[in-house]
Amino acid sequence: MKRVLAFDLGASSGRGILASLDNGKITLKEVHRFANNGVKVRSTVYWDVLYLFDQIKQGITNAKLEGGFDSIGIDTWGVDFGLLDSDGNLIGNPVTYRDARTDNMPEELFETICVEEVYKRTGIQIMNFNTLYQLYYLYKYKKDEVSRADTMLFMPDLLNYFLTGVKKNEYTISSTSQLINPRTRTWDYELMEKAGIDKDIFCDIVQPGTKIGALAEDICEELGIDAVDVIAVGSHDTASAVVSVPTEVDDFVYISCGTWSLFGTELKSPVITDEAFKSSYTNEGGYNGTTRFLTNIMGLWLIQESRRTWNRRGNNFSFNDLEKAALACEPFKCFIDPDYPEFGKPGDIPARIQKYCEKTGQYVPQTVGEIVRCIYESLALKYYHSFLNLKKISGKNFDSINIVGGGTKDPLLCQMAANACDVDVYAGPVEATALGNIAVQLIAIGEISDLKEARQIIKNSFDTRKYTPENVSEWHKAYETFKKILG
């Protein structure tokens, strides 16, 4: 029986999970967990990538003590990257996507290239932190710094390089950059030239399931382990999460729900139309040549960051406390657009929500419960808004939604999603991203035949919870008010 080691790094924490396939079911054992917090130095927020690499080495050591493994796969959040010099050394810590350096970069770039052209070339939702705008900033304002760059590696590519010494760009993570042609699945060098970005820093693109290389000799010596293959999984965490959706049908809707809510479906080819552009739908790369047709919605970050704010003031709220407080409040008193730019930055989210409600002429929430209820209801109504757009753009009808990831542990949000969207919601598995990472490794080493079998095995291995719609007419009435808030 072969075993694989998956490292799943999110924007707030990371885990190392050891997995095996036995009698048609996957078993999981968490061998390491660690925090991942951006580090603010003066006005810039960085990822501490050397700390993250050290934690991965600790996870490898722990997995060895648990009996070893046959391969390793790493997935992370999208868009962020590290730069290497000509000697293969890291040029500074990677900067986080929540840093303010790209606040006005799309608008500046669109003075040279129109926004419609950028979307038509890439099919990617315009978000100011996309790699395109991060690199545009560097080449426009930090020319001396970026002139030393020989290679650009996305976060999972960089960690794979630290393990193996091999430099490759995995496709699903590369597709989040807004620098890929989704039809050819290759770099758009013409777009790079128009944006003033050096095309020579980019590596060959490899598809998920590709063996990057074996653990480097120095790593094996340091950790006292044998060389195993490092596999490029669906290196973007959402790509891995979509692999794990426990569905038996071709047409399905998923919400990969955590810090972000990624709402979409899986298609065989990209959809790049005016309607998709206006609805902020994006065409990201998926496993086996598929397209993740989705929209990025600010997710449980709003709850997480609000909780941090309240607890910094001396409270000790658990997420369960916040849910109880929300349930005790009157419904549908005020709404926010979860994707309002100011909500994406670290800081006092509750105060920003109050300011937003005042600015939009609504009731201003006063208590913790009212603010939390406003967030939850607004998220659920944004799901419904995105659901309507998805059905219109795709020309398909969907009778259920699969929620996967950490958000499945939030019954209030899952129930509200069912209510707002008026379809059954199936919640689970919670370890969606790690499971997708694991499934691709098991396919790569010959333990599973293909994606269809992988999804069936995941469905057989982990329970899901069903939520049925309630009070639908009230939610649809609330949506009419919510639409006015969205403008």
Side-chain angles (χ1 to χ4, degrees):
M1 179 175 64
K2 293 185 178 181
R3 303 203 295 176
V4 300
L5 178 58
F7 287 100
D8 171 28
L9 278 67
S12 59
S13 66
R15 296 90 46 75
I17 296 179
L18 196 59
S20 61
L21 177 62
D22 188 24
N23 292 323
K25 291 189 176 183
I26 294 174
T27 58
L28 306 177
K29 183 175 181 61
E30 184 178 293
V31 295
H32 192 45
R33 178 178 286 269
F34 49 95
N36 179 25
N37 298 310
V39 180
K40 189 171 185 178
V41 181
R42 295 177 65 83
S43 61
T44 304
V45 188
Y46 301 92
W47 296 117
D48 191 349
V49 70
L50 300 184
Y51 157 80
L52 295 177
F53 181 55
D54 190 56
Q55 294 301 311
I56 284 175
K57 290 194 291 185
Q58 182 63 56
I60 291 172
T61 300
N62 293 352
K64 173 198 169 187
L65 295 174
E66 291 289 342
F69 49 90
D70 298 282
S71 65
I72 297 173
I74 300 173
D75 67 78
T76 79
W77 63 97
V79 306
D80 290 339
F81 56 88
L83 298 173
L84 305 177
D85 65 19
S86 58
D87 293 324
N89 296 317
L90 187 64
I91 305 173
N93 276 311
V95 175
T96 77
Y97 65 88
R98 292 195 190 276
D99 187 78
R101 66 180 181 168
T102 57
D103 278 359
N104 299 309
M105 289 306 101
E107 292 78 9
E108 290 190 25
L109 178 60
F110 298 152
E111 293 176 6
T112 303
I113 317 168
C114 73
V115 59
E116 290 84 2
E117 180 184 352
V118 173
Y119 185 79
K120 286 177 181 177
R121 298 184 77 104
T122 65
I124 295 295
Q125 181 180 357
I126 307 297
M127 304 187 80
N128 72 315
F129 50 68
N130 290 345
T131 316
L132 168 61
Y133 311 114
Q134 294 195 44
L135 287 171
Y136 178 71
Y137 166 83
L138 290 176
Y139 278 95
K140 186 171 183 178
Y141 294 106
K142 299 289 183 180
K143 192 69 175 178
D144 290 343
E145 176 185 330
V146 79
S147 65
R148 297 172 51 209
D150 180 76
T151 306
M152 194 244 21
L153 294 174
F154 297 99
M155 295 300 291
D157 301 331
L158 183 62
L159 295 167
N160 287 341
Y161 164 69
F162 288 165
L163 288 175
T164 66
V166 178
K167 304 171 188 174
K168 298 290 183 182
N169 292 135
E170 187 273 332
Y171 176 60
T172 68
I173 198 81
S174 301
S175 73
T176 69
S177 67
Q178 202 155 42
L179 289 164
I180 290 280
N181 181 324
R183 301 172 185 88
T184 63
R185 305 190 189 110
T186 57
W187 296 115
D188 189 330
Y189 293 129
E190 185 177 347
L191 177 58
M192 293 175 191
E193 183 178 355
K194 290 184 176 184
I197 296 169
D198 180 6
K199 65 181 178 62
D200 293 330
I201 65 174
F202 298 90
C203 300
D204 292 338
I205 295 172
V206 298
Q207 293 296 318
T210 302
K211 294 178 181 179
I212 295 292
L215 287 176
E217 185 176 337
D218 63 305
I219 296 289
C220 294
E221 183 177 346
E222 176 188 356
L223 303 182
I225 61 174
D226 295 328
V228 300
D229 284 324
V230 175
I231 295 172
V233 293
S235 297
H236 185 217
D237 50 12
T238 308
S240 280
V242 173
V243 166
S244 76
V245 175
T247 181
E248 297 177 354
V249 298
D250 292 333
D251 294 333
F252 61 93
V253 174
Y254 60 82
I255 306 175
S256 179
C257 186
T259 301
W260 288 86
S261 289
L262 296 314
F263 190 109
T265 190
E266 185 177 76
L267 301 175
K268 291 182 171 59
S269 57
V271 177
I272 304 175
T273 62
D274 290 342
E275 191 63 41
F277 170 65
K278 292 174 184 175
S279 300
S280 295
Y281 264 83
T282 198
N283 295 267
E284 295 176 355
Y287 179 73
N288 200 29
T290 57
T291 293
R292 291 178 286 128
F293 187 64
L294 61 89
T295 187
N296 292 268
I297 302 170
M298 192 67 65
L300 291 172
W301 158 263
L302 295 165
I303 299 290
Q304 296 160 355
E305 190 67 5
S306 294
R307 176 174 174 263
R308 276 189 282 269
T309 296
W310 288 317
N311 287 354
R312 278 194 294 265
R313 295 172 182 165
N315 299 292
N316 189 28
F317 293 136
S318 68
F319 290 111
N320 189 49
D321 293 333
L322 298 181
E323 182 176 314
K324 287 180 179 178
L327 284 169
C329 294
E330 183 181 340
F332 309 132
K333 292 191 73 173
C334 54
F335 306 107
I336 59 170
D337 180 357
D339 298 313
Y340 182 63
E342 289 301 309
F343 296 149
K345 300 174 184 177
D348 192 344
I349 299 295
R352 294 175 197 167
I353 287 173
Q354 290 174 319
K355 186 176 179 180
Y356 181 95
C357 290
E358 182 178 12
K359 180 181 176 181
T360 52
Q362 302 182 81
Y363 170 77
V364 178
Q366 299 299 312
T367 68
V368 167
E370 286 181 335
I371 291 171
V372 173
R373 182 139 198 156
C374 173
I375 293 171
Y376 275 123
E377 290 178 346
S378 299
L379 279 174
L381 290 168
K382 193 65 181 278
Y383 294 165
Y384 181 53
H385 181 75
S386 302
F387 194 35
L388 293 176
N389 286 337
L390 178 60
K391 290 192 286 187
K392 181 179 179 181
I393 297 165
S394 68
K396 298 179 179 180
N397 200 20
F398 306 96
D399 57 9
S400 65
I401 293 174
N402 294 271
I403 297 182
V404 298
T408 62
K409 295 187 291 185
D410 196 323
L412 180 57
L413 181 59
C414 293
Q415 184 62 59
M416 286 186 172
N419 298 347
C421 296
D422 191 19
V423 292
D424 291 337
V425 165
Y426 295 90
V430 63
E431 295 289 359
T433 305
L435 281 167
N437 178 325
I438 288 160
V440 172
Q441 289 190 68
L442 290 171
I443 293 171
I445 65 175
E447 293 290 282
I448 295 176
S449 62
D450 56 23
L451 178 59
K452 184 177 181 180
E453 183 185 5
R455 284 178 170 152
Q456 186 61 57
I457 288 171
I458 290 169
K459 184 174 183 178
N460 294 340
S461 303
F462 302 93
D463 294 331
T464 59
R465 180 176 175 182
K466 181 180 178 180
Y467 295 84
T468 57
E470 300 172 356
N471 305 318
V472 172
S473 61
E474 295 176 19
W475 279 88
H476 287 184
K477 182 180 178 181
Y479 177 67
E480 295 305 312
T481 302
F482 180 73
K483 278 197 300 185
K484 297 174 184 176
I485 301 301
L486 292 182

